[in-house]
Amino acid sequence: MKLGSLKEGGRDGTLIVVNRDLTRGVRATTVAPTLQKALEDWSSIAPRLRALAEQLEDDKAVGSFELDTTALAAPLPRAYQWADGSAYVVHVELVRKARGVEMPPSFWTDPLMYQGGSDSFIGPNDEIEMADEAWGIDFEGEIGVMVDDVPMGISPQAARKHIKLVTILNDVSLRNVIVGELAKGFGFFHGKPATAFAPVAVTPDELGDDWNGARLDRPLISTLNGKEFGHPNAATDLTFDFGQLIAHAARTRHLEAGTIVGSGTVANRDPAVGCSCIAERRVRETLEGGKPLTPFMSFGDHIRIEMFNRAGKSIFGAIDQKVVRYTPPA
């Protein structure tokens, strides 16, 4: 089934069930008011949501409506935790190579992960508000999973069972801000503004054979200003699957229901498939020609990120955003 959240009912939105074609939805408030509440009691609530989803598919759901993605928040408009990994080490390797920095061997065995801001995610069509183009505005196409309660010290294999929903996201990054922050040796903060999510998150069964329990075997397509930027496959060159990422996040703490774990920028070693972020393309350009050619995003630019199943239908709906100038309050 496919689940989303309307921008109504408070900061956590209103939970809706969406049909497979992403054309109609129905409020699920008789089952659970929000997706967060559903994840906290998933074993009892999920069957009731699934029954509602079946009614919607059969056009028997009372109160169903035509889906308007501009009315959607992120599936989880805010979360108790947002842990973003860097599961495609080939991406990290390229970046460090361009800087002339050797990559520690441990990067291939111990996942990189940072704790991002989760108090205010944005919806699939919400604008990317930025005060300054000089910040180096970039998109990052990623896969994300949402879990129920995960015990500390769990194994990667057991962690797979806690994945309840899968989605895609745009982890907006400010590259020129990040450089200064990393130089301080204390990680990201200003360089990682609000993250945008697809219209819906889906249960793993919706993915069929393309989901092996911990990784998604489909291309992630990024389109910048109407031109395809990249279509790397999310299973190719994946160093750490979601079982490993969740186990890493839970090494010294319990993960609360509603925690979101991200894959990091989807990247393949083959340059022919393109990239899921501008920074990687700039690195490849530097390695090939001595300097980057592709500029970071400017006001007015559009980014679209989407994934399709083997039948050519959108799985999660599209993240479709415009970069706009933000003017701080006086």
Side-chain angles (χ1 to χ4, degrees), residues 144-171:
V145 299
M146 301 173 188
V147 301
D148 62 1
D149 291 312
V150 179
M152 180 169 58
I154 196 168
S155 70
Q157 189 63 33
R160 293 182 172 205
K161 299 176 183 177
H162 292 274
I163 299 172
K164 302 307 174 187
L165 295 167
V166 184
T167 191
I168 59 174
L169 58 104
N170 178 13
D171 182 38

mmCIF file with all atom_site columns, all heavy atoms in Angstrom, residues 144-171:
data_model
loop_
_atom_site.group_PDB
_atom_site.id
_atom_site.type_symbol
_atom_site.label_atom_id
_atom_site.label_alt_id
_atom_site.label_comp_id
_atom_site.label_asym_id
_atom_site.label_entity_id
_atom_site.label_seq_id
_atom_site.pdbx_PDB_ins_code
_atom_site.Cartn_x
_atom_site.Cartn_y
_atom_site.Cartn_z
_atom_site.occupancy
_atom_site.B_iso_or_equiv
_atom_site.pdbx_formal_charge
_atom_site.auth_seq_id
_atom_site.auth_comp_id
_atom_site.auth_asym_id
_atom_site.auth_atom_id
_atom_site.pdbx_PDB_model_num
ATOM 1   N N   . GLY A 1 144 ? 15.052 6.231   0.966  1.00 0.00 ? 144 GLY A N   1
ATOM 2   C CA  . GLY A 1 144 ? 14.904 6.287   2.418  1.00 0.00 ? 144 GLY A CA  1
ATOM 3   C C   . GLY A 1 144 ? 13.939 5.216   2.903  1.00 0.00 ? 144 GLY A C   1
ATOM 4   O O   . GLY A 1 144 ? 13.042 4.790   2.163  1.00 0.00 ? 144 GLY A O   1
ATOM 5   N N   . VAL A 1 145 ? 14.136 4.758   4.132  1.00 0.00 ? 145 VAL A N   1
ATOM 6   C CA  . VAL A 1 145 ? 13.213 3.796   4.742  1.00 0.00 ? 145 VAL A CA  1
ATOM 7   C C   . VAL A 1 145 ? 12.751 4.327   6.087  1.00 0.00 ? 145 VAL A C   1
ATOM 8   O O   . VAL A 1 145 ? 13.456 5.097   6.748  1.00 0.00 ? 145 VAL A O   1
ATOM 9   C CB  . VAL A 1 145 ? 13.857 2.401   4.920  1.00 0.00 ? 145 VAL A CB  1
ATOM 10  C CG1 . VAL A 1 145 ? 14.278 1.817   3.576  1.00 0.00 ? 145 VAL A CG1 1
ATOM 11  C CG2 . VAL A 1 145 ? 15.040 2.441   5.886  1.00 0.00 ? 145 VAL A CG2 1
ATOM 12  N N   . MET A 1 146 ? 11.539 3.921   6.463  1.00 0.00 ? 146 MET A N   1
ATOM 13  C CA  . MET A 1 146 ? 10.967 4.282   7.760  1.00 0.00 ? 146 MET A CA  1
ATOM 14  C C   . MET A 1 146 ? 10.788 3.000   8.564  1.00 0.00 ? 146 MET A C   1
ATOM 15  O O   . MET A 1 146 ? 10.320 1.987   8.027  1.00 0.00 ? 146 MET A O   1
ATOM 16  C CB  . MET A 1 146 ? 9.628  4.994   7.570  1.00 0.00 ? 146 MET A CB  1
ATOM 17  C CG  . MET A 1 146 ? 9.741  6.248   6.733  1.00 0.00 ? 146 MET A CG  1
ATOM 18  S SD  . MET A 1 146 ? 8.127  6.970   6.352  1.00 0.00 ? 146 MET A SD  1
ATOM 19  C CE  . MET A 1 146 ? 8.625  8.259   5.189  1.00 0.00 ? 146 MET A CE  1
ATOM 20  N N   . VAL A 1 147 ? 11.146 3.049   9.829  1.00 0.00 ? 147 VAL A N   1
ATOM 21  C CA  . VAL A 1 147 ? 11.155 1.848   10.657 1.00 0.00 ? 147 VAL A CA  1
ATOM 22  C C   . VAL A 1 147 ? 10.190 1.977   11.834 1.00 0.00 ? 147 VAL A C   1
ATOM 23  O O   . VAL A 1 147 ? 9.758  3.075   12.186 1.00 0.00 ? 147 VAL A O   1
ATOM 24  C CB  . VAL A 1 147 ? 12.571 1.545   11.187 1.00 0.00 ? 147 VAL A CB  1
ATOM 25  C CG1 . VAL A 1 147 ? 13.543 1.342   10.024 1.00 0.00 ? 147 VAL A CG1 1
ATOM 26  C CG2 . VAL A 1 147 ? 13.064 2.668   12.105 1.00 0.00 ? 147 VAL A CG2 1
ATOM 27  N N   . ASP A 1 148 ? 9.863  0.819   12.428 1.00 0.00 ? 148 ASP A N   1
ATOM 28  C CA  . ASP A 1 148 ? 9.181  0.826   13.719 1.00 0.00 ? 148 ASP A CA  1
ATOM 29  C C   . ASP A 1 148 ? 10.256 0.807   14.804 1.00 0.00 ? 148 ASP A C   1
ATOM 30  O O   . ASP A 1 148 ? 11.421 1.102   14.521 1.00 0.00 ? 148 ASP A O   1
ATOM 31  C CB  . ASP A 1 148 ? 8.185  -0.335  13.826 1.00 0.00 ? 148 ASP A CB  1
ATOM 32  C CG  . ASP A 1 148 ? 8.860  -1.708  13.721 1.00 0.00 ? 148 ASP A CG  1
ATOM 33  O OD1 . ASP A 1 148 ? 10.103 -1.770  13.594 1.00 0.00 ? 148 ASP A OD1 1
ATOM 34  O OD2 . ASP A 1 148 ? 8.140  -2.725  13.785 1.00 0.00 ? 148 ASP A OD2 1
ATOM 35  N N   . ASP A 1 149 ? 9.925  0.481   16.029 1.00 0.00 ? 149 ASP A N   1
ATOM 36  C CA  . ASP A 1 149 ? 10.921 0.480   17.101 1.00 0.00 ? 149 ASP A CA  1
ATOM 37  C C   . ASP A 1 149 ? 12.020 -0.545  16.828 1.00 0.00 ? 149 ASP A C   1
ATOM 38  O O   . ASP A 1 149 ? 11.735 -1.732  16.614 1.00 0.00 ? 149 ASP A O   1
ATOM 39  C CB  . ASP A 1 149 ? 10.251 0.166   18.439 1.00 0.00 ? 149 ASP A CB  1
ATOM 40  C CG  . ASP A 1 149 ? 9.345  1.303   18.903 1.00 0.00 ? 149 ASP A CG  1
ATOM 41  O OD1 . ASP A 1 149 ? 9.791  2.460   18.870 1.00 0.00 ? 149 ASP A OD1 1
ATOM 42  O OD2 . ASP A 1 149 ? 8.196  1.019   19.291 1.00 0.00 ? 149 ASP A OD2 1
ATOM 43  N N   . VAL A 1 150 ? 13.265 -0.087  16.853 1.00 0.00 ? 150 VAL A N   1
ATOM 44  C CA  . VAL A 1 150 ? 14.417 -0.948  16.574 1.00 0.00 ? 150 VAL A CA  1
ATOM 45  C C   . VAL A 1 150 ? 15.275 -1.042  17.837 1.00 0.00 ? 150 VAL A C   1
ATOM 46  O O   . VAL A 1 150 ? 15.710 -0.021  18.373 1.00 0.00 ? 150 VAL A O   1
ATOM 47  C CB  . VAL A 1 150 ? 15.266 -0.381  15.425 1.00 0.00 ? 150 VAL A CB  1
ATOM 48  C CG1 . VAL A 1 150 ? 16.484 -1.273  15.161 1.00 0.00 ? 150 VAL A CG1 1
ATOM 49  C CG2 . VAL A 1 150 ? 14.430 -0.230  14.157 1.00 0.00 ? 150 VAL A CG2 1
ATOM 50  N N   . PRO A 1 151 ? 15.543 -2.254  18.326 1.00 0.00 ? 151 PRO A N   1
ATOM 51  C CA  . PRO A 1 151 ? 16.352 -2.386  19.537 1.00 0.00 ? 151 PRO A CA  1
ATOM 52  C C   . PRO A 1 151 ? 17.836 -2.126  19.287 1.00 0.00 ? 151 PRO A C   1
ATOM 53  O O   . PRO A 1 151 ? 18.349 -2.388  18.194 1.00 0.00 ? 151 PRO A O   1
ATOM 54  C CB  . PRO A 1 151 ? 16.122 -3.838  19.962 1.00 0.00 ? 151 PRO A CB  1
ATOM 55  C CG  . PRO A 1 151 ? 15.744 -4.556  18.706 1.00 0.00 ? 151 PRO A CG  1
ATOM 56  C CD  . PRO A 1 151 ? 15.004 -3.557  17.869 1.00 0.00 ? 151 PRO A CD  1
ATOM 57  N N   . MET A 1 152 ? 18.492 -1.596  20.270 1.00 0.00 ? 152 MET A N   1
ATOM 58  C CA  . MET A 1 152 ? 19.931 -1.334  20.203 1.00 0.00 ? 152 MET A CA  1
ATOM 59  C C   . MET A 1 152 ? 20.696 -2.649  20.000 1.00 0.00 ? 152 MET A C   1
ATOM 60  O O   . MET A 1 152 ? 20.335 -3.686  20.550 1.00 0.00 ? 152 MET A O   1
ATOM 61  C CB  . MET A 1 152 ? 20.386 -0.657  21.502 1.00 0.00 ? 152 MET A CB  1
ATOM 62  C CG  . MET A 1 152 ? 21.864 -0.334  21.566 1.00 0.00 ? 152 MET A CG  1
ATOM 63  S SD  . MET A 1 152 ? 22.275 0.731   22.985 1.00 0.00 ? 152 MET A SD  1
ATOM 64  C CE  . MET A 1 152 ? 21.681 -0.244  24.368 1.00 0.00 ? 152 MET A CE  1
ATOM 65  N N   . GLY A 1 153 ? 21.739 -2.589  19.198 1.00 0.00 ? 153 GLY A N   1
ATOM 66  C CA  . GLY A 1 153 ? 22.601 -3.741  18.993 1.00 0.00 ? 153 GLY A CA  1
ATOM 67  C C   . GLY A 1 153 ? 22.060 -4.785  18.041 1.00 0.00 ? 153 GLY A C   1
ATOM 68  O O   . GLY A 1 153 ? 22.582 -5.906  17.985 1.00 0.00 ? 153 GLY A O   1
ATOM 69  N N   . ILE A 1 154 ? 21.049 -4.442  17.267 1.00 0.00 ? 154 ILE A N   1
ATOM 70  C CA  . ILE A 1 154 ? 20.427 -5.397  16.354 1.00 0.00 ? 154 ILE A CA  1
ATOM 71  C C   . ILE A 1 154 ? 21.394 -5.781  15.229 1.00 0.00 ? 154 ILE A C   1
ATOM 72  O O   . ILE A 1 154 ? 22.274 -5.005  14.853 1.00 0.00 ? 154 ILE A O   1
ATOM 73  C CB  . ILE A 1 154 ? 19.124 -4.802  15.779 1.00 0.00 ? 154 ILE A CB  1
ATOM 74  C CG1 . ILE A 1 154 ? 18.252 -5.894  15.145 1.00 0.00 ? 154 ILE A CG1 1
ATOM 75  C CG2 . ILE A 1 154 ? 19.439 -3.689  14.776 1.00 0.00 ? 154 ILE A CG2 1
ATOM 76  C CD1 . ILE A 1 154 ? 16.849 -5.428  14.824 1.00 0.00 ? 154 ILE A CD1 1
ATOM 77  N N   . SER A 1 155 ? 21.230 -6.969  14.679 1.00 0.00 ? 155 SER A N   1
ATOM 78  C CA  . SER A 1 155 ? 22.055 -7.417  13.560 1.00 0.00 ? 155 SER A CA  1
ATOM 79  C C   . SER A 1 155 ? 21.480 -6.872  12.249 1.00 0.00 ? 155 SER A C   1
ATOM 80  O O   . SER A 1 155 ? 20.286 -6.556  12.165 1.00 0.00 ? 155 SER A O   1
ATOM 81  C CB  . SER A 1 155 ? 22.071 -8.945  13.485 1.00 0.00 ? 155 SER A CB  1
ATOM 82  O OG  . SER A 1 155 ? 20.800 -9.440  13.072 1.00 0.00 ? 155 SER A OG  1
ATOM 83  N N   . PRO A 1 156 ? 22.310 -6.771  11.209 1.00 0.00 ? 156 PRO A N   1
ATOM 84  C CA  . PRO A 1 156 ? 21.805 -6.298  9.919  1.00 0.00 ? 156 PRO A CA  1
ATOM 85  C C   . PRO A 1 156 ? 20.657 -7.147  9.370  1.00 0.00 ? 156 PRO A C   1
ATOM 86  O O   . PRO A 1 156 ? 19.706 -6.614  8.806  1.00 0.00 ? 156 PRO A O   1
ATOM 87  C CB  . PRO A 1 156 ? 23.036 -6.366  9.014  1.00 0.00 ? 156 PRO A CB  1
ATOM 88  C CG  . PRO A 1 156 ? 24.187 -6.175  9.947  1.00 0.00 ? 156 PRO A CG  1
ATOM 89  C CD  . PRO A 1 156 ? 23.782 -6.903  11.201 1.00 0.00 ? 156 PRO A CD  1
ATOM 90  N N   . GLN A 1 157 ? 20.749 -8.449  9.542  1.00 0.00 ? 157 GLN A N   1
ATOM 91  C CA  . GLN A 1 157 ? 19.692 -9.328  9.029  1.00 0.00 ? 157 GLN A CA  1
ATOM 92  C C   . GLN A 1 157 ? 18.385 -9.092  9.774  1.00 0.00 ? 157 GLN A C   1
ATOM 93  O O   . GLN A 1 157 ? 17.311 -8.992  9.166  1.00 0.00 ? 157 GLN A O   1
ATOM 94  C CB  . GLN A 1 157 ? 20.112 -10.799 9.158  1.00 0.00 ? 157 GLN A CB  1
ATOM 95  C CG  . GLN A 1 157 ? 19.191 -11.777 8.453  1.00 0.00 ? 157 GLN A CG  1
ATOM 96  C CD  . GLN A 1 157 ? 19.146 -11.583 6.945  1.00 0.00 ? 157 GLN A CD  1
ATOM 97  O OE1 . GLN A 1 157 ? 20.150 -11.205 6.329  1.00 0.00 ? 157 GLN A OE1 1
ATOM 98  N NE2 . GLN A 1 157 ? 17.994 -11.848 6.346  1.00 0.00 ? 157 GLN A NE2 1
ATOM 99  N N   . ALA A 1 158 ? 18.458 -9.000  11.087 1.00 0.00 ? 158 ALA A N   1
ATOM 100 C CA  . ALA A 1 158 ? 17.245 -8.768  11.877 1.00 0.00 ? 158 ALA A CA  1
ATOM 101 C C   . ALA A 1 158 ? 16.693 -7.367  11.641 1.00 0.00 ? 158 ALA A C   1
ATOM 102 O O   . ALA A 1 158 ? 15.476 -7.144  11.724 1.00 0.00 ? 158 ALA A O   1
ATOM 103 C CB  . ALA A 1 158 ? 17.543 -8.978  13.353 1.00 0.00 ? 158 ALA A CB  1
ATOM 104 N N   . ALA A 1 159 ? 17.559 -6.413  11.335 1.00 0.00 ? 159 ALA A N   1
ATOM 105 C CA  . ALA A 1 159 ? 17.121 -5.035  11.119 1.00 0.00 ? 159 ALA A CA  1
ATOM 106 C C   . ALA A 1 159 ? 16.190 -4.923  9.916  1.00 0.00 ? 159 ALA A C   1
ATOM 107 O O   . ALA A 1 159 ? 15.319 -4.048  9.876  1.00 0.00 ? 159 ALA A O   1
ATOM 108 C CB  . ALA A 1 159 ? 18.333 -4.130  10.929 1.00 0.00 ? 159 ALA A CB  1
ATOM 109 N N   . ARG A 1 160 ? 16.349 -5.803  8.954  1.00 0.00 ? 160 ARG A N   1
ATOM 110 C CA  . ARG A 1 160 ? 15.502 -5.769  7.757  1.00 0.00 ? 160 ARG A CA  1
ATOM 111 C C   . ARG A 1 160 ? 14.019 -5.876  8.115  1.00 0.00 ? 160 ARG A C   1
ATOM 112 O O   . ARG A 1 160 ? 13.168 -5.275  7.455  1.00 0.00 ? 160 ARG A O   1
ATOM 113 C CB  . ARG A 1 160 ? 15.872 -6.923  6.817  1.00 0.00 ? 160 ARG A CB  1
ATOM 114 C CG  . ARG A 1 160 ? 17.254 -6.821  6.193  1.00 0.00 ? 160 ARG A CG  1
ATOM 115 C CD  . ARG A 1 160 ? 17.495 -7.977  5.256  1.00 0.00 ? 160 ARG A CD  1
ATOM 116 N NE  . ARG A 1 160 ? 18.730 -7.850  4.487  1.00 0.00 ? 160 ARG A NE  1
ATOM 117 C CZ  . ARG A 1 160 ? 18.955 -8.434  3.310  1.00 0.00 ? 160 ARG A CZ  1
ATOM 118 N NH1 . ARG A 1 160 ? 17.995 -9.192  2.770  1.00 0.00 ? 160 ARG A NH1 1
ATOM 119 N NH2 . ARG A 1 160 ? 20.093 -8.260  2.679  1.00 0.00 ? 160 ARG A NH2 1
ATOM 120 N N   . LYS A 1 161 ? 13.713 -6.636  9.147  1.00 0.00 ? 161 LYS A N   1
ATOM 121 C CA  . LYS A 1 161 ? 12.315 -6.870  9.523  1.00 0.00 ? 161 LYS A CA  1
ATOM 122 C C   . LYS A 1 161 ? 11.646 -5.609  10.059 1.00 0.00 ? 161 LYS A C   1
ATOM 123 O O   . LYS A 1 161 ? 10.419 -5.557  10.161 1.00 0.00 ? 161 LYS A O   1
ATOM 124 C CB  . LYS A 1 161 ? 12.243 -7.985  10.558 1.00 0.00 ? 161 LYS A CB  1
ATOM 125 C CG  . LYS A 1 161 ? 12.786 -9.317  10.075 1.00 0.00 ? 161 LYS A CG  1
ATOM 126 C CD  . LYS A 1 161 ? 12.773 -10.361 11.180 1.00 0.00 ? 161 LYS A CD  1
ATOM 127 C CE  . LYS A 1 161 ? 13.384 -11.671 10.709 1.00 0.00 ? 161 LYS A CE  1
ATOM 128 N NZ  . LYS A 1 161 ? 13.429 -12.685 11.815 1.00 0.00 ? 161 LYS A NZ  1
ATOM 129 N N   . HIS A 1 162 ? 12.431 -4.613  10.411 1.00 0.00 ? 162 HIS A N   1
ATOM 130 C CA  . HIS A 1 162 ? 11.874 -3.382  10.980 1.00 0.00 ? 162 HIS A CA  1
ATOM 131 C C   . HIS A 1 162 ? 11.586 -2.314  9.923  1.00 0.00 ? 162 HIS A C   1
ATOM 132 O O   . HIS A 1 162 ? 11.057 -1.257  10.250 1.00 0.00 ? 162 HIS A O   1
ATOM 133 C CB  . HIS A 1 162 ? 12.816 -2.839  12.047 1.00 0.00 ? 162 HIS A CB  1
ATOM 134 C CG  . HIS A 1 162 ? 12.881 -3.704  13.265 1.00 0.00 ? 162 HIS A CG  1
ATOM 135 N ND1 . HIS A 1 162 ? 11.984 -3.604  14.307 1.00 0.00 ? 162 HIS A ND1 1
ATOM 136 C CD2 . HIS A 1 162 ? 13.733 -4.724  13.595 1.00 0.00 ? 162 HIS A CD2 1
ATOM 137 C CE1 . HIS A 1 162 ? 12.273 -4.508  15.227 1.00 0.00 ? 162 HIS A CE1 1
ATOM 138 N NE2 . HIS A 1 162 ? 13.330 -5.199  14.826 1.00 0.00 ? 162 HIS A NE2 1
ATOM 139 N N   . ILE A 1 163 ? 11.921 -2.605  8.670  1.00 0.00 ? 163 ILE A N   1
ATOM 140 C CA  . ILE A 1 163 ? 11.624 -1.665  7.587  1.00 0.00 ? 163 ILE A CA  1
ATOM 141 C C   . ILE A 1 163 ? 10.150 -1.774  7.230  1.00 0.00 ? 163 ILE A C   1
ATOM 142 O O   . ILE A 1 163 ? 9.689  -2.817  6.763  1.00 0.00 ? 163 ILE A O   1
ATOM 143 C CB  . ILE A 1 163 ? 12.496 -1.954  6.347  1.00 0.00 ? 163 ILE A CB  1
ATOM 144 C CG1 . ILE A 1 163 ? 13.978 -1.792  6.689  1.00 0.00 ? 163 ILE A CG1 1
ATOM 145 C CG2 . ILE A 1 163 ? 12.098 -1.038  5.193  1.00 0.00 ? 163 ILE A CG2 1
ATOM 146 C CD1 . ILE A 1 163 ? 14.921 -2.256  5.579  1.00 0.00 ? 163 ILE A CD1 1
ATOM 147 N N   . LYS A 1 164 ? 9.395  -0.731  7.462  1.00 0.00 ? 164 LYS A N   1
ATOM 148 C CA  . LYS A 1 164 ? 7.959  -0.761  7.207  1.00 0.00 ? 164 LYS A CA  1
ATOM 149 C C   . LYS A 1 164 ? 7.564  -0.011  5.949  1.00 0.00 ? 164 LYS A C   1
ATOM 150 O O   . LYS A 1 164 ? 6.571  -0.365  5.304  1.00 0.00 ? 164 LYS A O   1
ATOM 151 C CB  . LYS A 1 164 ? 7.205  -0.170  8.415  1.00 0.00 ? 164 LYS A CB  1
ATOM 152 C CG  . LYS A 1 164 ? 7.496  -0.908  9.721  1.00 0.00 ? 164 LYS A CG  1
ATOM 153 C CD  . LYS A 1 164 ? 7.266  -2.407  9.574  1.00 0.00 ? 164 LYS A CD  1
ATOM 154 C CE  . LYS A 1 164 ? 7.687  -3.180  10.810 1.00 0.00 ? 164 LYS A CE  1
ATOM 155 N NZ  . LYS A 1 164 ? 7.607  -4.648  10.609 1.00 0.00 ? 164 LYS A NZ  1
ATOM 156 N N   . LEU A 1 165 ? 8.323  1.030   5.600  1.00 0.00 ? 165 LEU A N   1
ATOM 157 C CA  . LEU A 1 165 ? 7.998  1.836   4.432  1.00 0.00 ? 165 LEU A CA  1
ATOM 158 C C   . LEU A 1 165 ? 9.273  2.266   3.709  1.00 0.00 ? 165 LEU A C   1
ATOM 159 O O   . LEU A 1 165 ? 10.322 2.424   4.336  1.00 0.00 ? 165 LEU A O   1
ATOM 160 C CB  . LEU A 1 165 ? 7.205  3.084   4.849  1.00 0.00 ? 165 LEU A CB  1
ATOM 161 C CG  . LEU A 1 165 ? 5.809  2.840   5.446  1.00 0.00 ? 165 LEU A CG  1
ATOM 162 C CD1 . LEU A 1 165 ? 5.290  4.112   6.110  1.00 0.00 ? 165 LEU A CD1 1
ATOM 163 C CD2 . LEU A 1 165 ? 4.836  2.356   4.383  1.00 0.00 ? 165 LEU A CD2 1
ATOM 164 N N   . VAL A 1 166 ? 9.143  2.444   2.405  1.00 0.00 ? 166 VAL A N   1
ATOM 165 C CA  . VAL A 1 166 ? 10.250 2.858   1.554  1.00 0.00 ? 166 VAL A CA  1
ATOM 166 C C   . VAL A 1 166 ? 9.811  4.085   0.761  1.00 0.00 ? 166 VAL A C   1
ATOM 167 O O   . VAL A 1 166 ? 8.643  4.178   0.341  1.00 0.00 ? 166 VAL A O   1
ATOM 168 C CB  . VAL A 1 166 ? 10.669 1.730   0.584  1.00 0.00 ? 166 VAL A CB  1
ATOM 169 C CG1 . VAL A 1 166 ? 11.888 2.142   -0.233 1.00 0.00 ? 166 VAL A CG1 1
ATOM 170 C CG2 . VAL A 1 166 ? 10.932 0.429   1.345  1.00 0.00 ? 166 VAL A CG2 1
ATOM 171 N N   . THR A 1 167 ? 10.730 5.022   0.518  1.00 0.00 ? 167 THR A N   1
ATOM 172 C CA  . THR A 1 167 ? 10.400 6.206   -0.260 1.00 0.00 ? 167 THR A CA  1
ATOM 173 C C   . THR A 1 167 ? 11.656 6.745   -0.933 1.00 0.00 ? 167 THR A C   1
ATOM 174 O O   . THR A 1 167 ? 12.737 6.147   -0.834 1.00 0.00 ? 167 THR A O   1
ATOM 175 C CB  . THR A 1 167 ? 9.736  7.286   0.624  1.00 0.00 ? 167 THR A CB  1
ATOM 176 O OG1 . THR A 1 167 ? 9.196  8.322   -0.199 1.00 0.00 ? 167 THR A OG1 1
ATOM 177 C CG2 . THR A 1 167 ? 10.722 7.862   1.624  1.00 0.00 ? 167 THR A CG2 1
ATOM 178 N N   . ILE A 1 168 ? 11.529 7.868   -1.639 1.00 0.00 ? 168 ILE A N   1
ATOM 179 C CA  . ILE A 1 168 ? 12.685 8.567   -2.191 1.00 0.00 ? 168 ILE A CA  1
ATOM 180 C C   . ILE A 1 168 ? 12.673 9.987   -1.649 1.00 0.00 ? 168 ILE A C   1
ATOM 181 O O   . ILE A 1 168 ? 11.640 10.490  -1.186 1.00 0.00 ? 168 ILE A O   1
ATOM 182 C CB  . ILE A 1 168 ? 12.694 8.573   -3.738 1.00 0.00 ? 168 ILE A CB  1
ATOM 183 C CG1 . ILE A 1 168 ? 11.432 9.238   -4.293 1.00 0.00 ? 168 ILE A CG1 1
ATOM 184 C CG2 . ILE A 1 168 ? 12.848 7.154   -4.266 1.00 0.00 ? 168 ILE A CG2 1
ATOM 185 C CD1 . ILE A 1 168 ? 11.451 9.413   -5.811 1.00 0.00 ? 168 ILE A CD1 1
ATOM 186 N N   . LEU A 1 169 ? 13.823 10.655  -1.720 1.00 0.00 ? 169 LEU A N   1
ATOM 187 C CA  . LEU A 1 169 ? 13.924 11.979  -1.121 1.00 0.00 ? 169 LEU A CA  1
ATOM 188 C C   . LEU A 1 169 ? 14.972 12.828  -1.819 1.00 0.00 ? 169 LEU A C   1
ATOM 189 O O   . LEU A 1 169 ? 15.817 12.320  -2.566 1.00 0.00 ? 169 LEU A O   1
ATOM 190 C CB  . LEU A 1 169 ? 14.252 11.847  0.365  1.00 0.00 ? 169 LEU A CB  1
ATOM 191 C CG  . LEU A 1 169 ? 15.545 11.089  0.711  1.00 0.00 ? 169 LEU A CG  1
ATOM 192 C CD1 . LEU A 1 169 ? 16.648 12.058  1.120  1.00 0.00 ? 169 LEU A CD1 1
ATOM 193 C CD2 . LEU A 1 169 ? 15.290 10.077  1.835  1.00 0.00 ? 169 LEU A CD2 1
ATOM 194 N N   . ASN A 1 170 ? 14.866 14.134  -1.581 1.00 0.00 ? 170 ASN A N   1
ATOM 195 C CA  . ASN A 1 170 ? 15.847 15.097  -2.058 1.00 0.00 ? 170 ASN A CA  1
ATOM 196 C C   . ASN A 1 170 ? 16.519 15.723  -0.851 1.00 0.00 ? 170 ASN A C   1
ATOM 197 O O   . ASN A 1 170 ? 15.948 16.588  -0.195 1.00 0.00 ? 170 ASN A O   1
ATOM 198 C CB  . ASN A 1 170 ? 15.177 16.175  -2.919 1.00 0.00 ? 170 ASN A CB  1
ATOM 199 C CG  . ASN A 1 170 ? 16.178 17.229  -3.403 1.00 0.00 ? 170 ASN A CG  1
ATOM 200 O OD1 . ASN A 1 170 ? 17.382 17.049  -3.316 1.00 0.00 ? 170 ASN A OD1 1
ATOM 201 N ND2 . ASN A 1 170 ? 15.657 18.338  -3.914 1.00 0.00 ? 170 ASN A ND2 1
ATOM 202 N N   . ASP A 1 171 ? 17.722 15.265  -0.560 1.00 0.00 ? 171 ASP A N   1
ATOM 203 C CA  . ASP A 1 171 ? 18.486 15.784  0.574  1.00 0.00 ? 171 ASP A CA  1
ATOM 204 C C   . ASP A 1 171 ? 19.255 17.018  0.109  1.00 0.00 ? 171 ASP A C   1
ATOM 205 O O   . ASP A 1 171 ? 20.428 16.944  -0.263 1.00 0.00 ? 171 ASP A O   1
ATOM 206 C CB  . ASP A 1 171 ? 19.439 14.705  1.086  1.00 0.00 ? 171 ASP A CB  1
ATOM 207 C CG  . ASP A 1 171 ? 20.235 15.156  2.290  1.00 0.00 ? 171 ASP A CG  1
ATOM 208 O OD1 . ASP A 1 171 ? 19.669 15.865  3.134  1.00 0.00 ? 171 ASP A OD1 1
ATOM 209 O OD2 . ASP A 1 171 ? 21.425 14.798  2.379  1.00 0.00 ? 171 ASP A OD2 1
#
